Amino acid sequence: MAEQPLNGAFYGPSVPPPAPKGYNRRGHSRGCGCCLLSFFVKVIIALIVILGLAALIFWLIVRPQTIKFHVTEASLTRFDHTSPDNILRYNLALTVPVRNPNKRIGVYYDRIEAHAYYEGKRFSSTTLNPFYQGHKNTTVLTPMFQGQNLVIFGAGESRTYNAERISGVYNIEIKFRLRVRFKLGDLKTRRIRPKVNCDDLRLSLSTLNGTTTSSTIFPLKCDFDL
């Protein structure tokens, strides 16, 4: 069979139109990067929501409450600062109930330090025995500060001491420094170091009949700071 002659020019396969100006393969890469970024953002948001729900459920079940410290009694039988030797002689005894109000959380008091301050200067410290405190339990601490120590007063501190010596009422601060662990079931937390401050403890020296007058209204609530 004879070949048919071609009518007109033979152009071959069609050529695709040129890409628009400014187009390159980077656009595809940017699109993939945005997809990955969006995916990670969604994952992070989902994790935050899950952790928030878990914390809410834990709080609803456990209902953790702050440990409560109160000063219920205080006896100051000596508080003399002499010059020029700058020796402070003191005798102070306290009764401090510690309440764990939690139903499911126990507390290990691994270390308990009590410090006594006057005009911002620490004049005595004592270490109390460690103990474990169960659920909804109250333990009574009885720190005692007795002895003498070198305490140098500035001019303002000396004026405050002399004024309080005349009035017979001294403003003393007690600070507890703790190392505690919390126990929930068989789980125990790592040691943390909360601070407990019992400020505005205004005491006068004991009278001749052995009683103590005070400007403080007991019980005095202390601040518990994690």
Side-chain angles (χ1 to χ4, degrees), residues 63-144:
R63 297 284 182 135
Q65 300 182 56
T66 303
I67 306 300
K68 303 181 186 300
F69 280 65
H70 291 85
V71 179
T72 56
E73 295 181 18
S75 174
L76 182 66
T77 57
R78 189 176 189 184
F79 202 74
D80 302 323
H81 187 266
T82 58
S83 58
D85 57 358
N86 293 313
I87 297 298
L88 178 65
R89 296 170 176 85
Y90 50 86
N91 192 350
L92 172 63
L94 302 173
T95 302
V96 185
V98 180
R99 176 69 176 172
N100 175 15
N102 294 283
K103 294 181 180 180
R104 295 179 173 86
I105 299 176
V107 186
Y108 288 96
Y109 295 85
D110 294 328
R111 187 171 180 83
I112 310 171
E113 296 177 355
H115 307 288
Y117 288 79
Y118 180 77
E119 285 296 294
K121 296 182 180 294
R122 185 171 68 182
F123 63 86
S124 185
S125 298
T126 184
T127 301
L128 306 178
N129 293 329
F131 64 94
Y132 171 76
Q133 189 174 43
H135 313 150
K136 300 188 72 67
N137 184 269
T138 299
T139 303
V140 178
L141 305 180
T142 55
M144 297 185 63

Side-chain angles (χ1 to χ4, degrees), residues 125-189:
S125 298
T126 184
T127 301
L128 306 178
N129 293 329
F131 64 94
Y132 171 76
Q133 189 174 43
H135 313 150
K136 300 188 72 67
N137 184 269
T138 299
T139 303
V140 178
L141 305 180
T142 55
M144 297 185 63
F145 307 93
Q146 186 176 23
Q148 62 183 33
N149 206 349
L150 175 67
V151 180
I152 299 176
F153 288 160
E157 295 158 349
S158 294
R159 285 193 296 269
T160 299
Y161 171 77
N162 290 329
E164 293 187 350
R165 180 173 55 83
I166 294 173
S167 67
V169 179
Y170 299 93
N171 196 342
I172 297 174
E173 300 176 21
I174 303 298
K175 302 180 184 294
F176 292 92
R177 296 299 177 258
L178 313 174
R179 293 182 188 177
V180 303
R181 292 172 293 155
F182 295 103
K183 181 176 182 291
L184 176 61
D186 293 331
L187 300 177
K188 298 177 186 177
T189 67

